[in-house]
Amino acid sequence: MKLDTKLFDGIVIFTQVIESGSFSEAADKMGHSTSHISKAVTRLEQRLKTRLLHRTTRSLSLTPEGKLFHQQCLQIVSDAEQAVVMLDSSQQTPSGTLKLSCPVTFGLKHLQPILSMYMRLYPEVKLELDFSDRHVDLVQDGYDLAIRATHQLDDSSLICKRISQFNAYTIATPAYLAKYGIPQTPEDLITHQCICYSNLKQPNRWVFEHREKETVTIDVPQVIGCNNADMELAMVLDHHGICRLPSFYLGDALAENKLTLLFEDYLQPEIDIYAIYPSRKHLSPKVRSFIDLLVEQMPA
């Protein structure tokens, strides 16, 4: 199929006219005469063989066909602007302050080496780090991005990029199990003490997926609710109950046989690690380069 070399002619002017509400306003914003703007839209309509606007001496409005065309044009113009920004950003050296939020243990064990590498690669960037399990408001608190570990993200207007994945395990100490018994099925948790992560919407609702049996959802008895996974692990290790935690919290305790893994015949829930940031548009070189490094260095 032969490509129309005039395919995009008039589209930017057309979208500016709709945004401005009149030919004269669009002319002022774009630095053209009103006649030039009007003729450009007319030529666009002639090429499309479709009327896009209803014109009167006092107002203009979109035709039904114009509404459909305008929606597509907005995306085309946005994509083109983003392409220019990306090109411009790729030619800039990352600089300024990168403000980042990250869970404590994940940051110490997995992010710190990447942060060191980033500092060596981009010495003009300064880091402002918030290592905590709280969910910061990126826009309100002025963060460039956050790292979050979750099996399900909240609905959000933020941009989310998955950078890694770990499994979560249901755990207890041998001493706790010796005292209270080993639960053989998820339903047995009803008679146990459970330690739950309070940052989740339903902290005590645990889902167990079997390779062969039906998925089971259990509302476990919560004896401790906590918004910090390190404290959850500390309370587990002090024999206070059963907990579910991502594997990156458990390395040392598992290696030293301080923990017992429960329900190993069930599939272990997947915990995704996301880089979350406010917008793809006008993404700064410091943020883009850090996200690229995360994707490159984190285990898939």
Side-chain angles (χ1 to χ4, degrees):
M1 184 177 72
K2 184 177 180 181
L3 182 64
D4 182 359
T5 57
K6 296 183 179 180
L7 182 63
F8 300 104
D9 287 3
I11 284 180
V12 174
I13 289 177
F14 171 65
T15 57
Q16 185 62 65
V17 168
I18 304 307
E19 181 181 325
S20 302
S22 71
F23 289 109
S24 59
E25 285 290 327
D28 287 342
K29 289 181 179 180
M30 301 188 77
H32 293 299
S33 66
T34 302
S35 173
H36 175 84
I37 298 295
S38 178
K39 288 178 180 178
V41 174
T42 299
R43 286 194 297 270
L44 178 61
E45 290 178 317
Q46 291 172 345
R47 194 171 79 252
L48 297 173
K49 299 182 175 61
T50 303
R51 179 172 290 279
L52 302 174
L53 295 171
H54 293 302
R55 301 169 175 82
T56 69
T57 54
R58 293 187 177 182
S59 66
L60 59 83
S61 61
L62 287 164
T63 65
E65 295 81 6
K67 288 180 181 178
L68 292 173
F69 186 67
H70 179 241
Q71 290 174 358
Q72 299 300 316
C73 287
L74 286 175
Q75 187 61 54
I76 291 169
V77 172
S78 176
D79 289 346
E81 288 175 340
Q82 181 62 18
V84 172
V85 169
M86 289 174 63
L87 180 62
D88 184 53
S89 296
S90 68
Q91 297 171 348
Q92 297 178 27
T93 300
S95 61
T97 299
L98 181 71
K99 189 173 181 180
L100 169 72
S101 174
C102 181
V104 179
T105 300
F106 182 84
L108 290 171
K109 292 189 175 182
H110 295 279
L111 199 63
Q112 186 275 326
I114 297 174
L115 290 169
S116 291
M117 183 182 298
Y118 183 78
M119 292 291 286
R120 287 191 290 270
L121 288 171
Y122 307 108
E124 294 183 33
V125 177
K126 298 178 182 178
L127 296 178
E128 185 174 338
L129 306 175
D130 173 56
F131 276 22
S132 70
D133 286 358
R134 71 188 182 98
H135 282 194
V136 300
D137 185 322
L138 268 69
V139 177
Q140 186 74 26
D141 298 334
Y143 284 85
D144 292 297
L145 75 160
I147 306 300
R148 289 182 185 162
T150 180
H151 69 281
Q152 185 176 2
L153 281 170
D154 296 335
D155 292 336
S156 174
S157 60
L158 300 172
I159 308 303
C160 307
K161 184 175 182 62
R162 191 175 76 85
I163 58 173
S164 191
Q165 188 178 76
F166 295 83
N167 289 113
Y169 294 94
T170 307
I171 54 166
T173 59
Y176 171 88
L177 297 173
K179 182 176 181 180
Y180 294 97
I182 300 174
Q184 300 300 315
T185 68
E187 288 86 352
D188 293 340
L189 290 172
I190 295 299
T191 62
H192 281 268
Q193 300 179 169
C194 294
I195 301 170
C196 303
Y197 186 56
S198 59
N199 276 339
L200 299 176
K201 284 185 176 180
Q202 296 175 303
N204 69 321
R205 179 158 293 181
W206 295 3
V207 178
F208 295 87
E209 183 180 353
H210 199 277
R211 292 178 175 83
E212 300 173 357
K213 303 176 185 177
E214 291 185 358
T215 297
V216 178
T217 300
I218 306 295
D219 288 334
V220 301
Q222 176 179 299
V223 66
I224 299 174
C226 182
N227 68 350
N228 181 273
D230 292 296
M231 179 58 74
E232 285 185 279
L233 178 59
M235 297 305 282
V236 170
L237 291 172
D238 216 17
H239 322 301
H240 289 290
I242 297 173
C243 188
R244 291 184 112 178
L245 285 171
S247 58
F248 58 79
Y249 285 100
L250 308 177
D252 293 341
L254 284 175
E256 296 168 10
N257 297 316
K258 294 180 178 179
L259 295 172
T260 298
L261 301 182
L262 302 175
F263 312 121
E264 292 191 80
D265 52 339
Y266 284 78
L267 298 174
Q268 306 307 321
E270 294 176 342
I271 303 296
D272 291 315
I273 310 297
Y274 290 94
I276 300 175
Y277 47 101
S279 175
R280 285 192 181 95
K281 293 191 71 174
H282 312 306
L283 197 59
S284 66
K286 65 184 179 183
V287 176
R288 185 177 301 282
S289 58
F290 185 72
I291 292 172
D292 289 344
L293 190 62
L294 279 176
V295 173
E296 175 187 316
Q297 296 296 322
M298 286 296 300

